[in-house]
Amino acid sequence: MTTAPIGIFDSGVGGLTVARAVSQLLPRESVLYIGDTARSPYGPKPIADVRRYGLEILDTLVEQGVKMLVIACNTASAALLRDARERYDVPVVEVIGPAVRTAVATTRNGRIGVIGTAGTIGSGVYQDMFGVDPRLEVFAQACPRFVDFVEAGITDTPDVLRVAEEYLAPLRHAGVDTVVLGCTHYPFLEGAISYVMGQGVSLVSSDTETAKDVYRQLVSRDLLAGPDAEPTHVYEATGASADDFLRLADRLMGRGVSAVRLVQTGAIDLPKGIS
């Protein structure tokens, strides 16, 4: 057992869905979250840049003594997961595998849709993971404006619904019965996505599935915090305006800052390069 925090990393605020799910499932665990708001969004950026940015953040988390790393960003997971698992001694959990396993178990007709950033969809990582099962047909759709909406705190306007209808039309036409929300920002738009896809389509969200994987990893490695642990939740941003990050995080998480026991935040200095 150890009281060291779980380190969670995302390109911005989207990974807060994972942090929220982890805290709900593991209320005694401390969390150290870093959102790379200075360089968000990752989706349109070259994979090499995403890899470099992500490893810088993960290095920072490891230096601060986390007991586990959670890459709460689909684009970063696709770009650097193998590097991270070779680079660090602590366990590394990502958001793609857990969602894929749940989608396979959920689908009834074998037709699965995946939505994500341009970087995630372009990497083909979901298509490759689903492709090992010949019974499945996978339909992938990039939804780049979804991240812009979430980062701006816009989740329930007519514009969101209109864009969702445009992006999701190919998946509806394909007759998918399961859709993977392949970006941790997207659960904040689950209302619009569910409305457009219809009640007969199951949505698989990477936040809750990743939290379950975190639980399994902590138990199997005897890393759970003890019953007397007093958890702290620390949220940091790389951007200059931590206040903007906090206001948006508070709004998107749907509860007061005090409810997530915020103890510290602020812009952090990142290394100029990686070793």
Side-chain angles (χ1 to χ4, degrees), residues 8-14 33-58 61 71-80 116-123 144 147-148 151 183-186 237-239 268 270:
I8 301 178
F9 147 64
D10 183 53
S11 61
V13 300
Y33 179 98
I34 297 179
D36 192 9
T37 53
R39 299 177 291 204
S40 181
Y42 278 7
K45 291 181 170 57
I47 291 295
D49 288 346
V50 172
R51 176 184 176 276
R52 177 166 58 87
Y53 299 158
L55 291 176
E56 287 177 353
I57 299 289
L58 295 179
L61 287 168
I71 306 175
C73 173
N74 285 261
T75 304
S77 293
L80 58 89
T117 66
T120 297
I121 299 303
S123 74
V147 171
D148 296 336
E151 292 284 344
C183 175
T184 50
H185 286 68
Y186 293 1
T238 60
I268 62 174
L270 294 177

Side-chain angles (χ1 to χ4, degrees), residues 69-89:
L69 292 168
V70 180
I71 306 175
C73 173
N74 285 261
T75 304
S77 293
L80 58 89
L81 177 60
R82 181 177 299 178
D83 296 299
R85 286 181 169 161
E86 293 176 352
R87 188 181 182 91
Y88 307 112
D89 293 330

Side-chain angles (χ1 to χ4, degrees), residues 91-116:
V92 180
V93 172
E94 46 81 35
V95 293
I96 296 174
V100 167
R101 291 191 291 271
T102 299
V104 172
T106 301
T107 185
R108 304 174 303 281
N109 67 6
R111 300 170 74 83
I112 297 174
V114 179
I115 57 176

Side-chain angles (χ1 to χ4, degrees), residues 236-242 265-269:
E236 297 184 341
T238 60
S241 179
T265 190
I268 62 174
D269 294 325

Side-chain angles (χ1 to χ4, degrees), residues 163-184:
V163 172
E165 289 173 341
E166 176 185 337
Y167 282 152
L168 301 175
L171 302 186
R172 294 183 61 187
H173 180 73
V176 303
D177 73 350
T178 303
V179 174
V180 175
L181 308 187
C183 175
T184 50

